[in-house]
Structures are given as structure tokens and as C-alpha cells.
Amino acid sequence: MPYQTVALIGKPQHAATHDTLNSLADYLLAKGCKLLVEESIAEELETENLKSCNLVTIGKEADLAVVVGGDGSMLGAARVLARFDIHVVGVNRGNLGFLTDIHPDEITQQLDLIFHGECVVEERFLLEVEVYRHEKLKSNNSAVNEVVLHHGKVAHMMEFEIYIDEQFVFSQRSDGLIVATPTGSTAYSLSAGGPIIMPTLDALTLVPMFPHTLSSRPIVVDADSQVSMKVSKVNSDSLQVSCDSHIVLPVLPGDEIRINKSADKLHLVHPKGYSYFNVLRKKLGWGSKLY
């Protein structure tokens, strides 16, 4: 069996997730797996044969992590688990679910395929973002989907310059900029008019947010490039950089934000029969009604 130690991660105090987690625990214990449970949901499981631990311990000890919830649950877990040699699979209990692709009604069949090795393992790269002030590192974090420079207030314009590998690209007055991975190209970036990028491409997309010029358009660049955003000193002082809409880093006028591809990789597992384009058709309602 490829996975001896399996971890369960999920959204706390969510009825549908609660039911799925307990079904999964029974399934995994029947398989003879050692079971780890992320500490925030440990009290919700009705079995005693498990070990409660944090995400770092899960990353170090587990072979497979099963994330139950929406893409937000997956993103939160992925930023930590990508640092370790662990496979991750998602069960969708959210809305769109681009990253959590197993349907709750098909858990047993889909996991049986994965446990028999009938699966696809995808590598997804992350981004590292650093905020510098007077050439000194002030804060940093990572993102699976996107890094966004934006104002702390709604509908506030800012001025900044973009550099790629230290070459000046353009200056801009806009509400901000989205720098998205292929994984994030179907998230916030897509809503802002950015392109869909296949996960196998080693590329980033830079998408301006409500630019004050009609000539400003999304641009796709090599993922090994360093993207730098230099914030003008004329801006007001409530600027921010967001990572996956979860983590916020403060930015002051004159700061520089540097974005690089992380050395960490998220190892996503899909059951046999997974198709990226099938996911797009289903999630984006291509050829059918959205509602």
C-alpha cells in the first residue's frame, strides 16, 4: 500500500465536513492506516484511534493528507505541506473546488483508485513574496494561488513600477496588481480578466486591477523571473500585499515587493480519469448554465 500514514485536515465546525471526516476516518482505519488528525478538527472525530497534531507534524510524518473543504481549506494547508515530501488530495465541501476535486459521494471509489496506485500526481509551484523597506527585509510569506498588491481601502488608486529581472517594464496607476501562478489563474486572476494557464506551464500572469489606462493588459512571464513592484512614495500609507487572500503583509510608500518562485512544490494527487479540461468545463459552466 503506497500510503501507510494518512492525515485528515478540514474546516472546523462545518456539518457536511464533519460527516465526511468521520466517514473517512472509518475508511482509513479499515485500510489499516495510521491516522493523524489536524488539531483544529480532532474533537469532531468520533474515533479514538488517532493522533492530533499540527500541520508541520503532519508534513513530517504523513504520506498522504486528505483535505476536506473548499479551495480555501486546501490553500491554507498547502502553504505549509508544500515544504514536505507529502501527497495531498482534496474532497470538495466548498463551492467551486478547483483544488478539491473528489466529490463527497464518490470518496470510497476515488480513494480506492488512489490506494491502488491508479492516480496522477501533479506538482504545483508556489510563490515567495518579500517586502523590503530601505533595502531591509521587513516581512515575507508564500502563496499557492496569487500575490496581490492592493490598497487597504476600497476603490483607492496607487502608483507603482514593475520590474522583471531588474528590467523596467511599466509604471502604473491602478487599484493594484495580481501576480498569479497557473494554479491561481482560475481564481482571483480569472475574475480580473487574466488568462487561464495550464498547470504544467512554468509561467506567471501579471494582471492589473482596474488600471487608469485602456492600454494596460495582463502579461504572462517566465515563472523563474523575479517580479518586483516598487511602490511610489506619493501613495497614502494603507497599502497591503495579500497571499491567497489569507495572509496580509503591510506595505508603506517607497517599499519594494519582490516575488520569486518558491523551491517548495505542492504534490497534488488526482484519481485516475482526472482531466484538467473536464474540471474547467464543470467549474466554469462551459456549455451550460452557471446557476
Side-chain angles (χ1 to χ4, degrees), residues 253-278:
D255 285 359
E256 180 181 359
I257 299 102
R258 298 175 192 170
I259 301 168
N260 293 281
K261 183 165 74 171
S262 172
D264 298 333
K265 303 275 188 185
L266 174 65
H267 295 90
L268 268 184
V269 182
H270 305 288
K272 184 181 178 182
Y274 167 83
S275 164
Y276 179 68
F277 294 109
N278 188 39

Side-chain angles (χ1 to χ4, degrees), residues 87-155:
H87 288 179
V88 183
V89 64
V91 176
N92 186 22
R93 277 297 187 182
N95 294 316
L96 276 176
F98 279 96
L99 295 174
T100 50
D101 52 37
I102 292 181
H103 193 278
D105 296 337
E106 301 172 353
I107 290 174
T108 302
Q109 305 94 300
Q110 301 287 281
L111 285 181
D112 279 346
L113 289 173
I114 289 172
F115 272 91
H116 286 98
E118 297 180 49
C119 56
V120 177
V121 181
E122 268 189 335
E123 281 192 353
R124 303 284 184 97
F125 70 83
L126 284 73
L127 296 176
E128 289 289 333
V129 57
E130 300 174 321
V131 178
Y132 284 86
R133 190 165 302 146
H134 307 302
E135 290 296 319
K136 183 178 180 181
L137 179 64
K138 300 301 290 184
S139 59
N140 65 292
N141 221 296
S142 60
V144 179
N145 270 354
E146 72 277 307
V147 173
V148 183
L149 172 65
H150 59 98
H151 209 283
K153 301 174 183 176
V154 176

Side-chain angles (χ1 to χ4, degrees), residues 8 23 26 44 72 115 138 148 177 190 194 217 227 241 245 285:
L8 294 179
S23 298
D26 293 341
E44 300 189 34
F115 272 91
K138 300 301 290 184
V148 183
L177 186 81
L190 183 66
R217 290 290 181 266
V227 178
V241 166
S245 302

